[in-house]
Amino acid sequence: QPEHRLFTEDLSPPRPALGQAKNVLVIALEGLTGAYLKPVTDFLDYTPELTMPGLSEIANNALLVPNFVSHRNQTNRGLYSLLCSDYPKLLNTNPKPLQLLSNDEAAERCLPRILRDKGYSTHYYQAASLEFMSKQTVMPFMGFDDVRGKPNFNLPRGYYFSWGPDDKLFFEQSLKWVQDLQKQDKPWFATLLTVGTHHPYAVDHTDSSLAPKYAAVLAADRAVTQFIQQLKATGIAEDTLIIIT
């Protein structure tokens, strides 16, 4: 029975030894699902319209969770669940991330605050403007001391995508910041949020014959794969827990 397989068959390689990583890096790919990963679609016996080849290969050498529930599709609610280990509201009322601003006790349970209290430096980078969903206020209260958005990126004059850097540019410039974190004495926790695979999709339409969504997915795959390769080449990956979601 397919339902039975989900709970009895282990898709992942052997769990690595614990205690080796001192840093934590979360990479949140906007608007993507596991349906673009070949190990997941093979496991679920599903034929996808498009596969991310680079990220699929990375998943083959990682601890992979093939099936989980996304409770809401709004970015701030998803980030709240991810970082604060709590269900978001299922109603379109004032979301919990904004409620944190008047509930310091709840904010203390969020991972950035917990790690900051343990001596970590905490960093949040996103491609879009921080004003979207009030992240310029919520993320610092959640425990991020270093919060950067679109204005912090060096964009060429007349850049083709108004929301912010596409995934290639986002990871290229974020890599330099992460390398700087690695030079400091204390451990660090960073969360990176892309924007390229969010509608209207950050792709130069003159360079692709694919539909914008699929072109953006493949561009994201190339960008995040190169980013992971560079983390490995520079040695950052050796002592960093990398979570891609």
Side-chain angles (χ1 to χ4, degrees), residues 29 44 85 122 162 171 210 232:
L29 302 175
L44 299 177
S85 188
T122 54
S162 62
F171 282 116
L210 292 173
K232 291 181 178 180

Side-chain angles (χ1 to χ4, degrees), residues 183-197:
K183 297 175 184 177
Q184 64 185 14
D185 293 332
K186 62 170 60 177
W188 51 267
F189 169 64
T191 297
L192 278 58
L193 174 66
T194 65
V195 74
T197 45

Side-chain angles (χ1 to χ4, degrees), residues 124-130 147-153 165 170 177:
Y124 175 79
Y125 309 147
Q126 74 168 34
S129 297
L130 294 168
V147 177
R148 308 186 194 189
K150 176 184 175 181
N152 299 100
F153 289 88
F170 173 75
W177 296 341

Side-chain angles (χ1 to χ4, degrees), residues 114-188:
I114 292 172
L115 291 179
R116 187 178 64 184
D117 291 343
K118 298 294 184 181
Y120 281 65
S121 64
T122 54
H123 311 266
Y124 175 79
Y125 309 147
Q126 74 168 34
S129 297
L130 294 168
E131 286 75 16
F132 283 119
M133 300 180 174
S134 303
K135 295 197 198 74
Q136 82 280 20
T137 303
V138 172
M139 306 317 278
F141 197 77
M142 197 178 285
F144 289 107
D145 289 329
D146 174 25
V147 177
R148 308 186 194 189
K150 176 184 175 181
N152 299 100
F153 289 88
N154 183 20
L155 301 179
R157 183 181 296 273
Y159 191 63
Y160 76 95
F161 192 61
S162 62
W163 280 40
D166 62 16
D167 293 347
K168 181 177 184 295
L169 193 59
F170 173 75
F171 282 116
E172 287 176 349
Q173 296 191 21
S174 295
L175 176 66
K176 299 176 183 178
W177 296 341
V178 171
Q179 288 173 324
D180 289 339
L181 300 182
Q182 191 71 359
K183 297 175 184 177
Q184 64 185 14
D185 293 332
K186 62 170 60 177
W188 51 267

Side-chain angles (χ1 to χ4, degrees), residues 49-93:
E49 296 184 69
L50 186 73
T51 295
M52 300 174 76
L55 198 55
S56 294
E57 182 62 29
I58 291 172
N60 280 328
N61 298 288
L63 182 65
L64 179 63
V65 180
N67 195 26
F68 63 94
V69 176
S70 175
H71 302 280
R72 293 293 305 217
N73 60 2
Q74 291 181 315
T75 304
N76 63 342
R77 298 171 191 246
L79 286 172
Y80 169 79
S81 290
L82 177 69
L83 295 169
C84 299
S85 188
D86 183 26
Y87 293 106
K89 282 187 176 181
L90 300 181
L91 300 174
N92 288 323
T93 56

